[in-house]
Structure formats: C-alpha cells, structure tokens
Amino acid sequence: ERRVRYALMDMDRVRAEVKLGESELKQYYGQHIGEYQVPERVKASHILFKTEAKTADEIAATEKKAREVLAQVKSGKEFAELARSNSEDSSASNGGDIGWIVRGQTVKEFEDAAFGMKPGQVSDLIKTTYGFHIVKVFDKQTAHLQTFEEVKNQIREQLEKQQLADAQQTLAAKLEREFQQNPKE
C-alpha cells in the first residue's frame, strides 16, 4: 500500500509574481545587442529547372521550358502559381518562397542576382550548378540593428518565460523542503 500526496501549483499565482520593468528589458537588450543585428538580406522566391545529371539535349529542352515560363512571368502571370506547377525545388509547394536569404547562404550566381535586384523585380534565367532559376525578390533589407522598440515584446516574452520557469523551480524546491521537514503536514 502506498499513500501519495500531491501539491498543485497555481500557475496564475506564480505568474503574478513574475514582474518585469522597462529597465530590465533595456538592460537585457544592451547585454545582448549582438543578437539584434540583422544582416543584409533579401526575401525571395524562385522557380528551379534542374539540370543535374542530364544530357546536353535534356539541358537544352529544360532551358527552352525555363524560357517559356520566364516569358509567362514577364507577361504578368502569377509567380507563385507558376512556381507550384513548374519548379523542381522543395519550395514549389510554397509558391517558390524561400524566405529571407543572407549572403553566403546560396550559390554565388543566385546570390549575385538576388542581391542585385530591387523588390518586385524578376530575374532573367540564372544558370547555376543545380539548373536554371527564375528569381523574384519581394523585399530587401540593408544590414541594421533592430531598435529596442522593435524587439521589446520579444525580449519581454523571453524573460517572462525564463522567470516563470525559475519561479516554478524555486516554489517546487521550497515545497519539497517543507514536505521533508514536516511530512505529516
């Protein structure tokens, strides 16, 4: 036979003890400022026509198809839809969206094209070791430091989670000591 007693923590009560002031958030920001440095980056989508392990005739046919799709893009057809139906990349299901890329993340030819374009622009065909790409840039950011105001809520959320976990641990340790000192109470 075993007897078990449980202690239930009221998380709302624990959460009420977690308090963060603006000065604590600013102090954290100052101590971790390097984490808020955003590198130069572009947000892009692409359509890939693979040429790896293909014969010269197959590469020529692939290039012809890529040029036809490029013409459709340039004539105003929806880029995402053309990516879904033509791209041979895993991003095809997302309309070719590869998200934000930074320098050094992709092959040089792709990078040079993407970083050389303005938001809204579509590239010509870009030949890489993987095949032919059509790239569309949606946004571009120069390297910058995120301001405190931009990241304040993110810092608050992170520190609150940390303080809540610490408060839970402290309360659990306190209850354990009390149970050991007075097991009948």
Side-chain angles (χ1 to χ4, degrees):
E1 183 177 307
R2 293 179 189 232
R3 287 185 184 189
V4 179
R5 290 190 178 175
Y6 294 92
L8 183 62
M9 284 189 212
D10 181 352
M11 292 310 297
D12 289 333
R13 195 170 135 209
V14 175
R15 194 173 283 112
E17 294 179 25
V18 175
K19 296 194 186 325
L20 285 170
E22 186 93 359
S23 63
E24 292 161 304
L25 300 177
K26 285 182 179 178
Q27 180 181 1
Y28 183 90
Y29 175 77
Q31 291 171 342
H32 298 86
I33 200 143
E35 295 173 22
Y36 304 108
Q37 184 67 39
V38 177
E40 177 185 22
R41 62 187 189 164
V42 294
K43 185 172 184 172
S45 291
H46 80 139
I47 303 171
L48 171 63
F49 302 88
K50 290 185 178 179
T51 59
E52 295 175 295
K54 289 189 176 181
T55 65
D57 288 343
E58 290 171 324
I59 291 172
T62 299
E63 183 176 4
K64 182 177 186 248
K65 180 181 178 187
R67 290 199 182 282
E68 290 169 0
V69 172
L70 177 61
Q72 291 177 40
V73 170
K74 298 276 186 176
S75 72
K77 287 216 173 173
E78 179 63 35
F79 190 92
E81 196 54 49
L82 289 168
R84 276 190 272 284
S85 58
N86 292 285
S87 186
E88 298 175 60
D89 186 64
S90 59
S91 66
S93 61
N94 297 331
D97 185 4
I98 55 173
W100 289 100
I101 59 170
V102 296
R103 291 194 182 272
Q105 189 175 344
T106 62
V107 292
K108 184 172 179 2
E109 302 88 351
F110 189 101
E111 177 182 295
D112 290 346
F115 281 89
M117 295 165 49
K118 294 177 182 167
Q121 281 188 310
V122 175
S123 71
D124 288 323
L125 282 190
I126 301 165
K127 175 77 171 115
T128 71
T129 56
Y130 301 106
F132 296 101
H133 303 258
I134 303 170
V135 178
K136 182 171 184 176
V137 171
F138 290 92
D139 198 0
K140 188 173 186 177
Q141 291 182 341
T142 57
H144 68 281
L145 178 66
Q146 291 176 298
T147 66
F148 173 72
E149 289 302 318
E150 288 177 294
V151 296
K152 180 167 81 172
N153 290 335
Q154 175 186 338
I155 293 171
R156 180 181 304 283
E157 186 178 305
Q158 182 179 348
L159 291 180
E160 281 176 349
K161 281 182 187 176
Q162 184 180 340
Q163 285 189 356
L164 185 59
D166 292 347
Q168 287 173 313
Q169 191 62 39
T170 300
L171 182 57
K174 179 183 171 197
L175 288 173
E176 183 179 10
R177 280 191 309 277
E178 288 178 11
F179 285 141
Q180 288 172 350
Q181 290 171 356
N182 298 313
K184 293 186 178 196
E185 291 182 22

